[in-house]
Amino acid sequence: MTKVLIVDDERGMRVLIRLSLRTGEYDVLEAEDADQAWTAIQEHCPAVVVLDVQMPGRTGIELTRTIRSRPGLSDTRILLLSAKAQDEDLEAGRQAGADAYLTKPFSPSQLEAAVAKLLRRQ
Amino acid sequence: MAFGQLPALARTYVLAVYAAAAGIAGLELLGAGTGGGRSASTGSADALWLFTLVLLAASLAHSFPVSVAGRQAFHVSLPFFVVGIVLLSPVELTVLLATVNAVEWIQRRMSWFAHVFNIAAFVLAGALAQGVYTLVSQSATNGTIDLSQPGRVLAGLTAIATFALVNRVLVAAAVWMGNGVPPRQQHMFTAESVLTDAILLIMGLAMAQLAVVGPWVMVLGATPLLLIHRALDIPNLRAQRSRDALTELSTVASFRDMCARELSRSERFGRPVALLLVDLDRLGEVNANHGHHVGDRVIQETGRLLEDATREYDLATRVVGGQYAILLPETDMTSAIAAADHMRLAVAQHPYVVPTSMEPLNVTVSVGVAGVVGHHAAVDELFAATQSALERAKQSGRDRIGIARMSGTRVMTKPSTDGADLPPIEIGSSRTGPDEPTQTEPVVCCETSVPPNLPEGGAAPRQSRCVALALGVTLAAAALVLLNASAIPQIDPVAMLLLISFVALSESRALGLFENSSYSVSAAPVLAAGMLLGVPGAVVVAMVAMPIRARRRVTRWYKLAFNVGLQVLAAAGAGAVYEAVREPLLPYGPAFLIVPGALAGFVYYLHTVVVAFAMSLELRVGVWKVWAEHFRWLLPQYMVLSLLALLLALAYREFGLVGALAFVAPALMMRFVAKQYVDRTVGNVRQLRALNAELAEQIAQRAAAEKEIARLAREAASAEAAQEVARIRGELMSVVSHEMRTPLGSLIGFTELLMTRDLSQEERHECLTLMYEEGHRLASLINDFLDLQRMESNQQTMRIEPVDLAALAQRVARVAGDDPDRPIELNLPPDLPAVPADPDRLEQVLLNLLSNARKYSPDGGHIELSIRQVGGFVEVVVEDRGLGLPAEAIPHLFDKFFRVDNSDRRKIQGTGLGLAIVKQIVVAHGGQVWAESDGLGQGARFCFTLPLAHAPARQPPGQLPLDGTPEAQAA
């Protein structure tokens, strides 16, 4: 089963993302911040990381760079979530090595489609 | 400089001049030996007498040179040299020139060669001038020695031109060669220098003519030289004055000047004037205990305090050390004492903060007060009286006021602070207003000056008296003219024309003093007319002067008539006196004519009394005061003018027209003398007036500028404010939209899940719980936001009533509910006063702070709510033992949407508006709110105060609609 890691500091958002991904198709892991997420990534090697950009501590973009700096994790797909739809955030995410970008608020189907698309590319 | 140091060329030149002068002198001696002398017209005894007289006079005159800028000196001995050129033999002239310069040598002690050179240059110039004179006069007059001949005058003029030119060229060349100063840059060739010398030389010519009449008459003619000497010296005196103005002393000097002026004004107009001497008590102790820099500071600060305490037209100056003199114009003793006590209190109540003492110094002053009302007092008297009053104040214990009535001194007991035993201190009301600038000036008028304009309106009786006076004078003058009408056609037309031209010239060159007065030397021709042509001539000449003057100014008809009439009467009187006194004195020789001349001048001068009377009618001031102020100074002027008139008359009688002409120049010179005098005395007033005007203009300009600045500032401020509002609004909108979109997005997402997905019961429950939370969050966000918005735009209505804070705190603690890990402890004193407040809003504040305290104490801990009274305020503190606050966050805690950003409080939900609302409410109550924390993990204290008397200090009353409470009505 495909492992998906959800990283968001808001519980409501994590629940929404988790429920958006159909049960049975994905093995969903959750993390509250970048540090927890990094531990989980190293442990579980998720295929997809759904990553909130704005978090206390390390931001999603910083975590993206960390992931990309690891050679063994080059296959990990990263979907960035941000409330800011500005170009510079998008650009920063692309440069850091994110694969896709989704602006909040999003619908569950949008998210599901985005994750599915990332996995198809794999 | 020694002779050897001169350039070779200069040495050669100087030696050549020596040789030439020596050669000339030798030739002259030879000529004298062969009897070729020229002073043949007079007997040898007379010639010796004349020579001695000229030598003495020239030496005397030469001993008082007037040094002016550019190391140049004018010598009034110059006219005597001309006398020598015209009348003495060549040898005598050489001796004269050599002797006079030798006198200078003794006095000034320059290098020997310079003196010798001066002598040589003079001798050469004199010899050449004499040669030219002899040549021209002989060829033009065929040897006759009649000085009235125009040819002789031509010869004289040529001779003096030669003399001046040769002397100047010789000296200029020497200066050029010796010092390298080209002639262009030498002051010798400036217009002023040439003109001065020309006038002096022409006077010499006139004196030479008089010397033919008799040596003593020549001495008489020399008197104008004294005036010229004075006129030349006046610019130096002025320069000295302005030099002194730079020193500290002159401040006091100018202050004394002002005092003198105010005193004379006070005397003239019967107005009060007062002088204060303010002296720092125990300045020596301050200096000894704290050092001189502190003493200086005390002096400076006291000066500032005193300046603040004075009115703008008071004049303050530091006399010495810690002593100040303050002149209070237009201030009677009562007001002056009030002012003095005002100053005393200002200093006594002022804390002098100094670096050498923790406590501000207590400084006191003693004040001496003296005043004058309308009687004569000298500046020194006033100062002395004030000084003794000050001393008495010091002796009787300092920090008090001593009062001197100009006769005797008494010391007042120390006035109580409220001034109970003083006349009420009402600055601005008990004192008279600022004096009118027109009255402060000593208006210098003279001669037949037109009296100043009549006051407009309400002065009809006075005006009619003026008109009556004018009519009387005019009628008398007209009668006089009619009486002499028959004699007028017999007057010598040449003399008449000369004198009328002279009058016209002097009147058209009259010095304007102030608006309504002027000075001219027309008295000289008018008096000369009386002496030369008798009463009829004087009447005619006097009549001419006034229309010329009137053309220069617009004036009332009766004033013109008055002036013409008075001048006619004065001239006729002077002429009659001269005639009457002259007859018996004639046999004693022309020198005795000085007596009738002076008498005539005096009689003419008396007409100023009538002018003063006319002015006194207008100014409503005593005749004597007006006369003393405006005309007394003119007496010497009139004496000299009458002397000149006498010389003019004599010269005309003896030598005809040309002889008289030579005396016009010195008479016109008098204008220059008077101008200097007027410039000096009246200049101050003019300067003051100009300064005043400038000041007024500056004030007006400044006011306009300030208005403009204010307008621009308002515009800029409103533009800036609009921008700021737009910026804040934009920022707010982005924050709000984000804060609202997030929960809204979640709600929509969950709804979609519920609608489209087949969720388990648990998942469904999870969804709904989160939806409820998000919805709740959204709702509270909107509520808070709208609350804040209302409060910020002052639309929130507050219901102020007396609130029992203790009861409120207990209720809020109940509402907040139980939380065993975070219990709320109330710390309430028993006797808390009721606070005027809106209880609902206050509850909101307390709930907010308590819930914050609980929220940010994730690991539990006591929450303490304390209320206590501090002065006129009640202070409420909510203290927790939770996460604490980073120092850098504290200033921003009460900003909208500010959240302390770190991971341990990220899970804590909040709108970011709670503390902003708290602040709004507390400030609307007139209180203050702040937060304290000892750092992260150390807990936090949120404190606010509420005033016990409701005073929304920082809110304009109109912005806080208050409902019917007593406090509200009081406010």
Side-chain angles (χ1 to χ4, degrees), chain A residues 9-13 15-16 18-23 32 56 83 104-105 107-109 112, chain B residues 738 741-742 745-746 749-750 752-753 757 759 763 766-767 770 773 777 901-903 906-907:
Chain A
D9 56 318
E10 285 188 55
R11 191 172 75 92
M13 196 49 68
V15 172
L16 184 68
R18 170 156 51 81
L19 296 180
S20 302
L21 302 172
R22 281 175 209 281
T23 324
E32 288 182 16
K104 291 181 192 178
S107 74
S109 47
E112 196 183 17
Chain B
H738 174 251
R741 247 158 59 188
T742 311
S746 299
F750 284 121
E752 187 186 323
L753 284 177
R757 302 289 167 88
L759 297 173
E763 286 169 339
E766 205 175 5
C767 257
L770 282 168
E773 278 177 14
R777 186 173 143 199
D901 194 16
N902 53 31
S903 55
R906 190 60 192 174
K907 283 163 255 168

Side-chain angles (χ1 to χ4, degrees), chain A residues 33-83:
Chain A
D33 57 37
D35 292 342
Q36 279 187 15
W38 184 234
T39 315
I41 290 167
Q42 283 169 312
E43 195 178 323
H44 302 286
C45 278
V48 177
V49 180
V50 179
L51 187 52
D52 187 17
V53 173
Q54 285 162 299
M55 289 188 298
R58 279 198 291 164
T59 66
I61 298 204
E62 281 166 337
L63 183 60
T64 306
R65 282 199 202 100
T66 314
I67 295 167
R68 287 290 173 249
S69 66
R70 258 316 151 85
L73 296 171
S74 56
D75 284 346
T76 310
R77 300 287 145 214
I78 300 173
L79 171 62
L80 283 180
L81 298 177
S82 173

Side-chain angles (χ1 to χ4, degrees), chain B residues 47-57:
Chain B
L48 190 64
W49 180 225
L50 180 70
F51 171 69
T52 316
L53 206 63
V54 171
L55 187 64
L56 279 175

